[in-house]
Amino acid sequence: MKCGLNIAGLIGIIYLLWAIIYLILTLAWLSQRGTRLRGWALALYIFQLIFTPIIMLLSGVILYYQGWRLDPVLQFEQFLLLLLILYLSIKDIVINAVYIDR
């Protein structure tokens, strides 16, 4: 089993770590503010809470163990996707933190 530490392997490690951090932060937010959510909002948030970390963990493991096979263009594409995912999840966490203060 070859696990080269190139940019795809590093992205895989970042996905693994961020999935755990994102799960902890969203669980903390849901425990504080979950009583205010009703109906579809709560269902969508729980769906996001369950599947986002699972998908990020799977992607991280795949990229860590199989990332050495990717061409440089595909590694750059994975890097751009990582930036997008980090931006959207940080935006989600910041917006939730701002609404907690209100």
Side-chain angles (χ1 to χ4, degrees):
M1 177 182 303
K2 184 177 179 182
C3 301
L5 195 59
N6 56 6
I7 192 75
L10 291 174
I11 291 171
I13 292 169
I14 293 170
Y15 273 142
L16 291 170
L17 295 175
W18 188 249
I20 295 167
I21 292 168
Y22 185 75
L23 178 66
I24 291 169
L25 290 175
T26 52
L27 277 174
W29 179 82
L30 187 62
S31 67
Q32 291 177 355
R33 192 162 178 253
T35 56
R36 296 182 191 170
L37 296 175
R38 299 279 184 244
W40 280 100
L42 182 61
L44 286 174
Y45 197 78
I46 290 174
F47 184 78
Q48 175 183 341
L49 177 67
I50 293 170
F51 288 107
T52 302
I54 291 172
I55 292 170
M56 287 173 57
L57 284 170
L58 287 173
S59 298
V61 168
I62 290 169
L63 281 174
Y64 181 71
Y65 286 110
Q66 300 297 325
W68 60 273
R69 296 180 178 202
L70 290 180
D71 292 333
V73 173
L74 290 176
Q75 289 181 16
F76 181 67
E77 177 262 340
Q78 287 294 321
F79 176 71
L80 293 177
L81 283 175
L82 173 72
L83 291 178
L84 178 67
I85 289 170
L86 287 176
Y87 167 74
L88 291 175
S89 58
I90 289 171
K91 186 181 95 169
D92 183 40
I93 291 168
V94 168
I95 286 174
N96 289 331
V98 168
Y99 284 130
I100 287 173
D101 292 337
R102 289 185 180 184

